[in-house]
Amino acid sequence: MLTSCTHVEVGASIANAHEADELHAGLQADDACISPKFLYDALGSKLFEAICELPEYYPTRTEAAIFERHGAEIARVAGTGTTLIDLGAGNCAKAASLFPLLQPAQYVAVDISAEFVHDALARLRQRFPKIAMEALGMDFSNRFELPELVNAGRRLFFYPGSSIGNFTPEHAQAFLTRLRAQCGPDGGLLIGIDLVKDKATLDAAYDDALGVTGAFNLNILRHVNRLVDADFDIRQWKHHGFYNAARGRVEMHLEARSAQEVTWRGGARRFEAGDCIHTENSYKYQQADAIQLLERSGFEATRVWTDPQRWFAVIHAQAIPA
C-alpha cells in the first residue's frame, strides 16, 4: 500500500487544479481509476495504521523484525549522521525506531497527508530534541525536488513498507531515477520491498476478515467527495483486494453494488452494478528483479536483509557515481 513534487496538501477540503484534472481523467477512463495517493487523507492514514496491526497484514511486522534483528548492521552499512529523508513517513514510527542506530543529523518526514505528518513530527521532536526535523507535505509520485531546507550533505532516502510496489515497474524505475538525481554523489537508499509469495497469504493481507482494509479503500470515495464535490454514496460500493498472479501484483478495486450516476465538479459518469474503480496496485518482486530495478535506476545494492521465510527484503543501495 502506498504511503506517499509539488507542495500539495491532499488532505485539504478542495483539490487544486492538477488534482482535479487527475481525478476527472481517472474517473472518465475506460477502466475507471483513482490514484492510490488519494487513499491517504487524515482518516485514511489512521485506517492504514490500523491495517498494520492486523494479523493478516504481514509486511509491517515482517519488516520490523528485519530492522530489529539486523538494525546494527544496517546502520553500519547505511552510515550515521546522514540527512534521513523518510518518504511516505506517516506516523514516523519506522524511522524513529532507527534513530538510536542511524543517529541522523537531520530528519525530513515527507508525506502526502501534510496534517498527519506535522502532528507526528510535533510529538517526535519532544522525544528526540537533538535531531533537526522538518515536515514536508508533498505528492512525490510524479515530480520530486527537495527544497533548500533539506541538507545537501550525505542524503539517505528511507522508503520502507514496500510502497515501491504501488508503481508499475516502469514507473518505479522512473521514480527511483528521480531519487538518484536528488541523492548527490555520496547518497543512498534504504528500501523495503515485498517479495512474491503464495496467493492465499497475499489475498488475506489485502482483504482482511475485520474489513479494515475495505474501510480504508472505501474512504477514498469520501475523500474524492470532499476534494471535487463528488456525490459518491459509499454504501453503494464494496471492496475487492486480490493477488493477480499473471501480473505479479495485488489489486484493490471498488465495485458498484447497484447502477448509479455519480457527478463531480466538471464531470459525471454512470456506473452499472458490477462496474469497478481501480484504486491500487501492489507489485511483488523476486529479489533478483528488485536488485536489477535498483541498478537500472542508478543505484548499486550493497546489502540485502530478509526474514527467514524470505517474504520481505530490506535493501541498502548506494548511488552509482554519474
Side-chain angles (χ1 to χ4, degrees), residues 139-300:
D139 168 16
F140 52 80
S141 60
N142 293 310
R143 297 175 54 199
F144 189 61
E145 185 174 351
L146 291 169
E148 292 184 359
L149 59 83
V150 180
N151 293 342
R154 213 152 58 86
R155 291 173 170 175
L156 176 63
F157 286 98
F158 183 51
Y159 199 38
S162 73
S163 293
I164 193 67
N166 293 131
F167 298 97
T168 66
E170 295 77 16
H171 289 156
Q173 181 177 337
F175 169 72
L176 292 170
T177 300
R178 291 194 294 272
L179 287 193
R180 170 61 189 90
Q182 296 286 307
C183 260
D186 55 356
L189 169 67
L190 187 62
I191 187 170
I193 296 182
D194 201 7
L195 303 177
V196 174
K197 59 189 64 64
D198 66 282
K199 177 175 170 59
T201 298
L202 290 167
D203 285 350
Y206 289 81
D207 196 3
D208 63 277
L210 283 177
V212 182
T213 308
F216 171 71
N217 198 14
L218 286 163
N219 181 64
I220 203 171
L221 299 181
R222 172 183 170 274
H223 193 195
V224 170
N225 283 349
R226 199 166 68 248
L227 288 171
V228 291
D229 297 325
D231 58 359
F232 281 102
D233 182 348
I234 296 173
R235 296 168 298 181
Q236 298 305 313
W237 295 83
K238 59 183 177 181
H239 163 73
H240 284 304
F242 58 91
Y243 181 57
N244 183 333
R247 296 192 174 185
R249 70 192 190 191
V250 171
E251 299 179 8
M252 292 209 316
H253 299 263
L254 292 170
E255 180 184 330
R257 295 178 182 271
S258 62
Q260 56 197 280
E261 182 85 12
V262 178
T263 64
W264 59 89
R265 191 167 60 247
R269 178 167 183 162
R270 179 171 177 80
F271 293 93
E272 302 299 335
D275 285 351
C276 288
I277 301 174
H278 193 167
T279 57
E280 186 178 59
N281 293 320
S282 184
Y283 282 83
K284 310 305 175 185
Y285 284 86
Q286 300 287 351
Q287 182 175 309
D289 293 335
I291 291 172
Q292 290 176 9
L293 171 65
L294 292 166
E295 290 175 348
R296 293 194 302 269
S297 307
F299 290 97
E300 179 182 4

Side-chain angles (χ1 to χ4, degrees), residues 128 138 147 217 228 265 298 304 310:
F128 301 96
M138 289 184 178
N217 198 14
V228 291
R265 191 167 60 247
V304 179
R310 300 185 69 82

Side-chain angles (χ1 to χ4, degrees), residues 112-156:
I112 199 166
S113 180
E115 179 183 356
F116 189 78
V117 77
H118 276 285
D119 290 346
L121 211 59
R123 296 188 295 270
L124 205 57
R125 286 191 179 101
Q126 297 177 8
R127 294 174 53 200
F128 301 96
K130 294 183 179 180
I131 300 175
M133 298 186 187
E134 298 288 345
L136 300 178
M138 289 184 178
D139 168 16
F140 52 80
S141 60
N142 293 310
R143 297 175 54 199
F144 189 61
E145 185 174 351
L146 291 169
E148 292 184 359
L149 59 83
V150 180
N151 293 342
R154 213 152 58 86
R155 291 173 170 175
L156 176 63

